[in-house]
């Protein structure tokens, strides 16, 4: 068992930690009204937060809810800026420690990882196995409504095994079990239907700590797959998992064992996107389609890029965003596309976005 985290809550309460958290929380949001108000009296607010944490009187603020529809419909829950500062304070202390315990091939919400690294790793493996004399297959697994189905008791138990600091545990528990809003959803529920929401489950999409909790939770599955089942070709990006093998029967066995593990230990379920096919048909993964010989980007991802570039162009032409932000967006998309075998696609995406100003 890994060494437990001790005596960390006192570090959370320090002015230095909270000030760094404030700097992180305000990035990209400096001119929003609530951030400006906080920044105007930053020392006073941070001292107040520190005192609340030290006296264990801090209460999680209320959530503002809204929907986003890319890449699919999601309910986003946003906390007041003060709460986001506290979550950054927690995150910058705990996440680096948790991250060291994760497997190499977990790529979601981790520094130095991300979708592109996940795709490169899977493609590297596909090129390797594609040279072998026998056919290979892939098992694609997707957890049903992952963020909405994380079980609070299971998550708190995982945290308790890793942290031996009661004050930190109580704060994390308060964030997880906040009773002002229901985060959970019935297995076949609709996020827009209030009757489908349930207590005791779910972590809010939009919380920084939710990213940390989500990785920590499925790290349990990663360890089971790597240590107990000894799966070599295994890659995960959040709740999307790909496993490769030349043994089709073995992949069926993995699927059943993983499904049982998820249901019994993590109280999660696989959804109907689960698939088992030859790698020659191509694997859809995090916005790409991969074969041993090449990579293509999904049409829906291309359309999303075009829409975003059109929006950025208009914002720049109206002097609403600076050129460096436009350049960052363009460079990001160029970085994605250069790994695909599609020169014509790059032309199609970028040719219509020459910047102009009146």
């Amino acid at each position: 068992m890994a060494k437990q985290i001790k005596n960390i809550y006192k570090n959370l309460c320090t002015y230095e930690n909270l000030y760094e958290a404030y700097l992180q929380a305000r990035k990209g949001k400096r001119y929003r009204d609530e951030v400006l108000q906080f920044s105007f009296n930053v020392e006073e607010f941070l001292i107040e937060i520190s005192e609340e944490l030290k006296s264990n009187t801090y209460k999680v603020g209320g959530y503002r809810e809204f929907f986003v529809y890319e890449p699919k419909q999601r309910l986003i829950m946003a906390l007041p800026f003060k709460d986001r500062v506290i979550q950054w304070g927690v995150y910058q202390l705990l996440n680096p420690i948790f991250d060291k315990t994760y497997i190499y091939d977990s790529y979601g919400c981790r520094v130095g990882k991300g979708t592109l690294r996940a795709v490169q790793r899977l493609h590297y493996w596909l090129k390797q196995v594609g040279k072998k004399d026998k056919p290979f297959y892939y098992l694609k697994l997707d957890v049903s409504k992952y963020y909405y189905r994380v079980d609070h008791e299971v998550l708190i138990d995982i945290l308790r095994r890793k942290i031996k600091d009661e004050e930190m545990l109580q704060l994390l528990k308060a964030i997880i079990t906040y009773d002002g809003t229901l985060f959970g959803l019935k297995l076949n529920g609709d996020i827009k239907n209030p009757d489908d929401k349930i207590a005791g489950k779910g972590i809010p999409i939009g919380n920084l700590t939710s990213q940390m909790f989500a990785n920590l939770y499925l790290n349990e599955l990663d360890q089971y797959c790597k240590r107990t089942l000894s799966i070599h070709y295994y890659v995960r990006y959040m709740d999307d998992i790909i496993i490769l093998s030349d043994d089709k029967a073995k992949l069926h066995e993995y699927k059943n064992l993983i499904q049982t593990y998820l249901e019994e230990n993590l109280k999660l379920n696989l959804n109907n996107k689960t698939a088992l096919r030859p790698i020659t048909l191509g694997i859809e993964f995090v916005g790409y389609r991969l074969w041993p010989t090449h990579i293509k980007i999904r049409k829906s991802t291309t359309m999303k890029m075009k829409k975003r570039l059109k929006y950025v162009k208009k914002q720049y032409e109206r002097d609403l965003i600076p050129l460096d932000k436009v350049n960052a967006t363009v460079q990001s998309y160029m970085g994605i596309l250069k790994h695909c075998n599609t020169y014509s696609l790059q032309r199609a995406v970028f040719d219509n976005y020459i910047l102009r100003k009146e």
Side-chain angles (χ1 to χ4, degrees):
M1 182 177 174
K3 191 175 179 181
Q4 286 185 302
I5 302 166
K6 299 177 182 178
N7 302 318
I8 201 163
Y9 189 79
K10 62 183 181 182
N11 298 336
L12 170 66
C13 304
T14 65
Y15 184 88
E16 292 76 15
N17 180 60
L18 292 173
Y19 185 74
E20 179 60 31
Y22 153 73
L23 294 177
Q24 293 292 339
R26 78 173 189 180
K27 281 185 179 177
K29 306 175 182 71
R30 293 179 65 174
Y31 301 109
R32 293 183 182 178
D33 286 346
E34 65 169 339
V35 181
L36 286 170
Q37 289 172 18
F38 193 99
S39 299
F40 188 71
N41 291 304
V42 62
E43 288 188 18
E44 183 181 325
F45 279 123
L46 292 180
I47 290 169
E48 182 183 299
I49 289 172
S50 179
E51 291 304 315
E52 283 186 27
L53 290 170
K54 287 176 183 176
S55 61
N56 300 303
T57 56
Y58 163 69
K59 303 290 183 187
V60 178
Y63 284 87
R64 176 173 59 88
E65 299 182 13
F66 58 95
F67 287 93
V68 296
Y69 297 89
E70 290 182 6
K72 58 185 177 183
Q73 180 178 273
R74 297 181 190 275
L75 175 61
I76 305 297
M77 296 184 176
L79 282 169
F81 186 70
K82 168 187 170 180
D83 299 87
R84 298 203 297 274
V85 170
I86 291 171
Q87 292 214 2
W88 261 107
V90 171
Y91 182 86
Q92 62 195 14
L93 289 175
L94 290 180
N95 196 62
I97 301 172
F98 290 153
D99 192 83
K100 290 175 184 176
T101 69
Y102 298 158
I103 66 167
Y104 181 85
D105 289 308
S106 164
Y107 289 89
C109 299
R110 296 179 67 192
V111 175
K113 299 289 185 175
T115 55
L116 188 55
R117 291 289 176 87
V119 166
Q120 289 172 331
R121 179 66 159 174
L122 180 56
H123 192 232
Y124 169 74
W125 282 342
L126 285 173
K127 287 190 290 184
Q128 277 193 332
V129 302
K131 294 173 184 174
K132 297 181 186 282
D133 295 331
K134 44 194 171 183
F136 264 75
Y137 304 87
Y138 74 88
L139 173 63
K140 179 181 172 69
L141 304 172
D142 194 326
V143 178
S144 183
K145 293 182 169 61
Y146 178 46
Y147 270 76
Y148 306 108
R149 298 292 299 170
V150 168
D151 187 88
H152 291 176
E153 285 188 12
V154 174
L155 175 56
I156 291 166
D157 182 60
I158 293 169
L159 288 165
R160 196 170 289 280
R161 295 202 315 264
K162 295 180 178 295
I163 301 170
K164 194 173 183 180
D165 183 323
E166 199 56 38
E167 286 181 297
M168 179 60 83
L169 285 168
Q170 288 307 310
L171 174 61
L172 297 176
K173 187 175 179 181
I175 293 169
I176 295 163
T177 62
Y178 173 75
D179 60 5
T181 304
L182 293 176
F183 307 130
L185 195 63
K186 293 176 183 175
L187 192 55
N188 297 310
D190 182 347
I191 57 175
K192 285 192 170 181
N193 185 353
D195 293 335
D196 287 345
K197 291 186 176 182
I198 54 175
K201 287 189 180 289
I203 48 177
I205 299 174
N207 267 10
L208 182 65
T209 51
S210 292
Q211 295 180 16
M212 180 176 72
F213 294 150
N215 259 337
L216 190 66
Y217 203 84
L218 277 186
N219 178 56
E220 300 290 303
L221 176 64
D222 295 341
Q223 300 298 335
Y224 172 71
C225 288
K226 297 298 286 186
R227 294 175 183 272
T228 304
L229 301 183
S230 300
I231 301 173
H232 178 61
Y233 298 116
Y234 173 99
V235 59
R236 178 173 69 81
Y237 183 88
M238 297 315 290
D239 58 335
D240 290 335
I241 299 161
I242 303 291
I243 300 170
L244 307 179
S245 176
D246 62 346
D247 189 336
K248 201 172 181 180
K250 196 71 176 173
L251 288 177
H252 277 292
E253 183 186 345
Y254 287 154
K255 178 196 166 186
N256 293 333
L257 288 169
I258 289 170
Q259 187 165 300
T260 300
Y261 182 87
L262 286 171
E263 290 173 1
E264 293 182 355
N265 295 275
L266 299 179
K267 299 185 180 178
L268 296 172
N269 303 84
L270 295 175
N271 65 22
N272 56 13
K273 294 179 185 174
T274 297
L276 199 166
R277 298 188 181 103
I279 63 170
T280 51
L281 296 179
I283 305 174
E284 283 203 3
F285 186 53
V286 297
Y288 295 81
R289 193 168 182 86
L290 296 90
W291 290 263
T293 51
H294 63 290
I295 304 171
K296 285 189 176 181
I297 199 161
R298 282 167 52 184
K299 187 175 181 180
S300 59
T301 308
T302 307
M303 296 305 293
K304 184 179 174 184
M305 282 185 185
K306 287 181 178 179
K307 185 177 178 181
R308 177 65 183 168
L309 284 167
K310 188 176 181 180
Y311 169 78
V312 166
K313 178 187 174 187
K314 284 183 178 178
Q315 293 292 95
Y316 173 74
E317 289 170 352
R318 293 171 184 167
D319 279 325
L320 295 174
I321 59 172
L323 184 60
D324 61 344
K325 189 167 183 180
V326 178
N327 187 54
T329 301
V330 171
Q331 292 303 318
S332 172
Y333 288 158
M334 288 295 287
I336 291 170
L337 289 173
K338 76 178 182 181
H339 294 278
C340 302
N341 307 71
T342 48
Y343 172 74
S344 58
L345 176 59
Q346 292 185 42
R347 293 287 302 272
V349 170
F350 290 105
D351 274 6
N352 295 325
Y353 302 105
I354 299 169
L355 299 177
R356 297 182 182 86
K357 281 200 177 184
E358 298 298 331

